[in-house]
Amino acid sequence: MAPFGGWEMPISYAGSGVVAEHTAVRSTVGVFDVSHLGKASVTGPGAADFVNACLTADLGRIGPGQAQYTLCCADDGGVVDDLIAYLVGPDEVFLVPNAANAGQVVALLQQAAPDTITVTDRHAEFGVIAVQGPASAAVLRDAGLPTDLDYMQWADGEIAGEPVRICRTGYTGEHGYELLPSWSAAPQLWDVLADRAAAHGGRPAGLGARDTLRTEMGYPLHGQDLSREISPVQARSGWAVGWSKPAFFGREALVAEKAAGPRRTLWGLLALDRGVLRPHLEVQDAAGARVGETTSGTFSPTLGKGIALALLDAGGPGEGAEVAVQVRGRSLAARVVKPPFVPSHVR
């Protein structure tokens, strides 16, 4: 266990370990307790239009029963948080922000909301359990839950008489689901899903595997690869910005940065030498000049190599170039690549 976002979280589970849990997700199925994630609701006449005028992605491109990855930005274009928006209808949106930033996201929306819109922090009202991997649909079917969902589509179901929201989302790059039961029903649902996963050769998985899995996909972690200092333009998250929308938090700054071109861009680094890459390591070009810094780094169990995400200066090494990462006083050779490091199976 370790502190994370104000919560005590499992790094890995007894009798397994990070590599075994990572491998289970890639080959069979893993079950994650991510109930630390925030939850909030935005309700009232025109709630969806209000959210659309605040967050970056164009909520008008999806319909009720669908979800969308989006960003809450500051006026200067920095990222306050990245989150998932569940569109319930024109008068209701359900949000799942990151744990550490949930309060700030809620506060920003409350400050911007007119009197007709209510923004409610519901952090401790719901749990979140992620079921990820090739056997994830079988696990949910065994539990009597709906699975016939397109990517980023959600539906409400129930288990043992308790309601649960199921969405085809995840943070691993595998076919998977994220389930939102009530807080009180979460332990029972966990037991059912963990039992069904074991029957398919799967297991519970902790934050360690969650990090190696998401890094292999190149998915950003807020506070490392996205932050108040790292904009969506720099982090290659511009696809989550509705550039043609007339309004969203940080629009003016982001439009200007996109037009001028970012001063640095997030790339992947694939280690060519033995060694593990970590965050905050200096990256040098062939001439030994500093050209950037790693933001995330780990050992890839799938590839058996070190991998990292790194912000590299504009005009510096591009895709295919060889760079040197400074690791504890030695240079580790790496190649600049565009993530994902391994194929994605989310669709």
Side-chain angles (χ1 to χ4, degrees):
M1 302 290 286
F4 184 83
W7 298 74
E8 286 292 316
M9 297 291 295
I11 301 300
S12 63
Y13 287 84
S16 55
V18 172
V19 173
E21 292 168 12
H22 176 110
T23 302
V25 173
R26 290 278 183 248
S27 60
T28 53
V29 64
V31 184
F32 299 80
D33 178 3
V34 286
S35 299
H36 66 300
L37 292 172
K39 307 96 190 171
S41 62
V42 183
T43 57
D49 288 339
F50 165 71
V51 171
N52 201 31
C54 297
L55 306 183
T56 61
D58 188 352
L59 201 58
R61 297 185 63 181
I62 66 171
Q66 291 179 292
Q68 185 180 66
Y69 177 81
T70 188
L71 307 166
C72 178
C73 289
D75 288 343
D76 62 2
V79 181
V80 174
D81 198 22
D82 61 336
L83 60 159
I84 301 292
Y86 289 66
L87 181 58
V88 181
D91 300 333
E92 182 178 355
V93 180
F94 189 84
L95 303 175
V96 181
N98 286 296
N101 306 319
Q104 190 173 2
V105 170
V106 168
L108 287 172
L109 292 173
Q110 287 175 336
Q111 290 167 15
D115 292 341
T116 55
I117 300 293
T118 301
V119 182
T120 306
D121 188 339
R122 308 182 73 182
H123 203 151
E125 291 184 37
F126 300 92
V128 186
I129 300 174
V131 183
Q132 301 283 299
S136 57
V139 168
L140 264 66
R141 281 196 297 270
D142 288 353
L145 294 170
T147 62
D148 189 17
L149 301 169
D150 293 332
Y151 184 55
M152 300 300 281
Q153 184 181 18
W154 61 268
D156 287 332
E158 70 172 48
I159 185 166
E162 294 283 350
V164 58
R165 182 161 289 175
I166 305 105
C167 192
R168 267 287 318 280
T169 49
Y171 198 43
T172 67
E174 296 296 331
H175 185 104
Y177 304 83
E178 292 180 314
L179 293 82
L180 289 97
S182 68
W183 191 265
S184 61
Q188 180 184 7
L189 179 59
W190 168 270
D191 288 344
V192 170
L193 294 173
D195 179 71
R196 302 299 187 272
H200 289 275
R203 62 180 71 213
L207 283 188
R210 187 170 165 85
D211 191 60
T212 56
L213 290 158
R214 71 94 189 169
T215 306
E216 286 186 346
M217 290 297 106
Y219 293 160
L221 174 64
H222 190 273
Q224 291 185 197
D225 316 296
L226 280 170
S227 70
R228 285 297 305 270
E229 291 73 42
I230 305 172
S231 75
V233 179
Q234 297 170 24
R236 294 185 185 274
S237 297
W239 60 269
V241 178
W243 295 106
S244 62
K245 293 200 306 179
F248 54 85
F249 296 160
R251 183 183 187 279
E252 186 174 335
L254 290 174
V255 169
E257 184 182 27
K258 183 180 183 230
R263 62 184 178 86
R264 54 186 185 172
T265 302
L266 197 68
W267 286 94
L269 299 181
L270 179 64
L272 303 176
D273 297 332
R274 290 177 62 86
V276 179
L277 302 176
R278 298 297 184 197
H280 308 301
L281 300 177
E282 181 175 300
V283 182
Q284 299 178 352
D285 64 13
R290 187 188 190 283
V291 293
E293 180 179 307
T294 59
T295 53
S296 287
T298 190
F299 176 80
S300 164
T302 304
L303 300 177
K305 298 179 180 180
I307 59 173
L309 299 176
L311 283 168
L312 301 183
D313 296 341
E319 189 170 8
E322 187 171 322
V323 295
V325 184
Q326 302 307 299
V327 183
R328 295 181 179 176
R330 71 183 184 97
S331 292
L332 191 152
R335 176 160 286 114
V336 178
V337 299
K338 190 174 181 180
F341 295 94
V342 300
S344 170
H345 301 108
V346 295
R347 296 186 183 278

